[in-house]
Amino acid sequence: MKSKVNNYIFFEQEWKSIEDAEGEGNKEMRETNISSDLTILVPLKDRVQYTRRLVNYLDFIECPYKLLFADGGQTPEAEELLQDKNNFLNLDYEYIRYPYDATLSDFHKKMASAVSKIQTPFTLLHDNDDFFVLETVQKCIDFLIKNSDHSSARGRNFDFHLSNEIYGQLYISREMWLEFPDSVIGENTTTRLLDQCSRFHANSHNVRRTKNLQATFELIEIIDFVNYRFAHQAESFLNVAWGKSNRKIEGIQLLHQGTAPSIGSNHFPPQEEWIKADYWKNDFIGMMDLCGAVIHYFDDISIEESRTIFADAYVNKLPDLKELLANRIEECKKEKINEDRIGNLLQCIKKSQNKEDIVAKGQTEVNISTEQELNALQFFLNSNNR
């Protein structure tokens, strides 16, 4: 039996678990080639059924990358699952228990702390209900090693659903982010930020340089957004501020299930309702400060002009609501600049740029093709559908 996803054809084949192949009695740690180039950072907030599925699958395919689980959930189930590393002998992971993510501020404190602990040159931020494809992730790493002017890279992202909620038959459906397929490769920060405004793609699933991601979450923590849509956008804007962003790495990188976000769906109301919300003005002023600070730092434009450049360009992000958005932005531009906050942002940016880059070894070999891995994933999902 075969199924087709665009120009990919995948054939179902037989897979056997390692225990089936080697015998139930062999529980010793198997030799693995763990990469020192990439860490997969997985933020957790309950939903342990997806965490269990993910770690069992990554153990099944012997994921060659380091994993860091940052748990801000209320329940102890994820800790109980991950505290005994003998349960996942093929993985190299660290589990950190954080205080409960009661607020968005708590979440960003957790993220800033977790990413600060990563010691690999590259990081991939990953949701526990999604799957990444090893071959394409490694292509992203190899590209970034060879292209120092790029801050991040990604392959193709697809939505998927299952015949049951957690396991079952895998159906790969809509490809994400098709509207603006070209990479963001302007030669300076201003150009790239303006390009991101008019051709916005969320890029939180890109493979990113760890140094830049650490600075990203420190800066977001300084702003302390009330609304997660703003914080999520800020993450994407900062990603192109640090350097060029490649959207065209060949191959499927991400399978996105799209379950209800643990952060809360109320953070993503309809756009018109969002722009009219009480919190919008203060959060957008924070975005102006943030993006204005990176333009000022990298392109040597005054902070006043930098903030205005970004604010005027942001209108292009929502052309159907341009008049409403422009009016709200004009309100924000009239407010006095918070000099103390600008100073803190610039200090953080300068500190991040003075950090030495972690040298990538670039010697990781992924011994499973995309076709083989999707076959393995389908086998895994079907085998556990009971």
Side-chain angles (χ1 to χ4, degrees):
M1 178 180 178
K2 64 182 180 180
S3 59
K4 186 172 182 180
V5 179
N6 288 3
N7 59 331
Y8 292 91
I9 298 177
F10 307 117
F11 296 86
E12 290 184 7
Q13 63 186 39
E14 269 194 48
W15 279 77
K16 292 184 177 180
S17 71
I18 294 171
E19 286 187 359
D20 289 340
E22 299 184 5
E24 289 284 346
N26 186 0
K27 294 289 185 181
E28 295 180 6
M29 179 67 183
R30 296 164 180 89
E31 289 187 13
T32 55
N33 180 27
I34 299 297
S35 171
S36 60
D37 288 340
L38 178 74
T39 298
I40 311 291
L41 173 57
V42 186
L44 302 178
K45 187 178 180 181
D46 301 321
R47 306 197 309 172
V48 71
Q49 69 273 28
Y50 294 108
T51 304
R52 182 178 293 108
R53 181 182 71 178
L54 178 64
V55 292
N56 276 302
Y57 173 67
L58 294 177
D59 188 64
F60 173 58
I61 62 168
E62 300 185 10
C63 175
Y65 305 116
K66 296 176 183 293
L67 295 146
L68 174 57
F69 296 95
D71 186 3
Q74 271 187 310
T75 68
E77 291 148 309
E79 184 174 8
E80 292 167 358
L81 173 70
L82 295 167
Q83 63 185 354
D84 186 356
K85 294 188 177 182
N86 288 321
N87 293 330
F88 305 105
L89 294 173
N90 298 309
L91 299 180
D92 181 351
Y93 71 87
E94 182 178 1
Y95 170 85
I96 303 175
R97 183 66 191 246
Y98 284 93
Y100 176 54
D101 291 345
T103 66
L104 190 58
S105 295
D106 294 329
F107 171 72
H108 285 128
K109 286 176 184 176
K110 175 185 79 174
M111 296 303 293
S113 170
V115 76
S116 73
K117 302 179 188 305
I118 294 175
Q119 298 179 355
T120 55
F122 306 110
T123 300
L124 176 63
L125 188 58
H126 187 72
D127 297 326
N128 67 343
D129 58 342
D130 295 341
F131 296 101
F132 56 86
V133 177
L134 298 176
E135 184 178 34
T136 310
V137 168
Q138 187 57 45
K139 287 180 182 178
C140 293
I141 296 169
D142 294 340
F143 175 85
L144 291 173
I145 290 173
K146 295 175 183 175
N147 295 273
S148 60
D149 58 343
H150 279 69
S151 65
S152 71
R154 74 148 184 256
R156 298 165 68 187
N157 297 346
F158 287 84
D159 287 331
F160 80 91
H161 65 278
L162 300 166
S163 56
N164 293 314
E165 182 184 359
I166 309 297
Y167 298 100
Q169 181 65 39
L170 172 66
Y171 299 97
I172 302 174
S173 53
R174 179 185 69 94
E175 184 168 1
M176 304 165 63
W177 309 119
L178 284 176
E179 186 177 3
F180 303 118
D182 293 336
S183 300
V184 178
I185 53 174
E187 292 301 326
N188 58 45
T189 293
T190 304
T191 302
R192 293 191 298 271
L193 282 174
L194 300 190
D195 195 1
Q196 180 76 353
C197 281
S198 59
R199 303 188 305 112
F200 187 86
H201 278 191
N203 49 40
S204 57
H205 294 294
N206 290 25
V207 176
R208 291 181 271 184
R209 297 188 187 276
T210 299
K211 179 176 78 171
N212 295 337
L213 187 60
Q214 290 169 340
T216 292
F217 280 110
E218 286 182 37
L219 291 168
I220 290 174
E221 192 176 6
I222 290 171
I223 299 298
D224 196 18
F225 292 102
V226 172
N227 172 255
Y228 184 59
R229 176 179 275 154
F230 268 116
H232 193 55
Q233 288 184 14
E235 191 182 337
S236 294
F237 282 121
L238 286 170
N239 193 35
V240 300
W242 307 125
K244 299 175 183 179
S245 180
N246 187 333
R247 298 174 174 175
K248 287 191 166 185
I249 299 296
E250 182 181 355
I252 298 175
Q253 177 186 322
L254 179 75
L255 296 180
H256 171 67
Q257 188 164 8
T259 58
S262 58
I263 201 71
S265 58
N266 61 314
H267 283 269
F268 293 91
Q271 298 278 9
E272 184 171 357
E273 178 184 334
W274 176 65
I275 296 169
K276 293 177 178 178
D278 292 339
Y279 58 74
W280 196 93
K281 182 177 177 180
N282 284 336
D283 269 7
F284 187 77
I285 291 172
M287 185 85 88
M288 288 172 61
D289 287 352
L290 184 59
C291 293
V294 290
I295 291 173
H296 169 70
Y297 182 87
F298 289 110
D299 293 348
D300 196 24
I301 299 171
S302 74
I303 191 65
E304 293 81 7
E305 185 179 352
S306 296
R307 293 171 81 251
T308 299
I309 287 171
F310 173 76
D312 290 345
Y314 190 87
V315 174
N316 298 318
K317 187 176 179 301
L318 297 172
D320 294 340
L321 297 169
K322 200 165 188 176
E323 184 177 355
L324 171 64
L325 188 55
N327 290 336
R328 289 289 268 159
I329 288 173
E330 286 303 315
E331 293 176 28
C332 298
K333 287 162 68 174
K334 293 175 183 176
E335 296 295 320
K336 185 179 178 181
I337 296 176
N338 185 334
E339 300 287 354
D340 289 340
R341 182 159 72 176
I342 294 293
N344 290 335
L345 293 170
L346 291 173
Q347 185 178 11
C348 179
I349 296 166
K350 183 178 180 179
K351 182 184 71 173
S352 75
Q353 296 309 297
N354 287 337
K355 278 186 181 180
E356 288 189 15
D357 291 318
I358 304 170
V359 178
K361 294 184 178 179
Q363 299 175 338
T364 305
E365 290 186 14
V366 173
N367 297 317
I368 181 172
S369 69
T370 298
E371 179 181 335
Q372 290 171 327
E373 186 172 348
L374 290 176
N375 287 328
L377 177 59
Q378 180 63 86
F379 174 84
F380 170 84
L381 293 169
N382 275 333
S383 299
N384 288 277
N385 186 30
R386 54 179 180 266

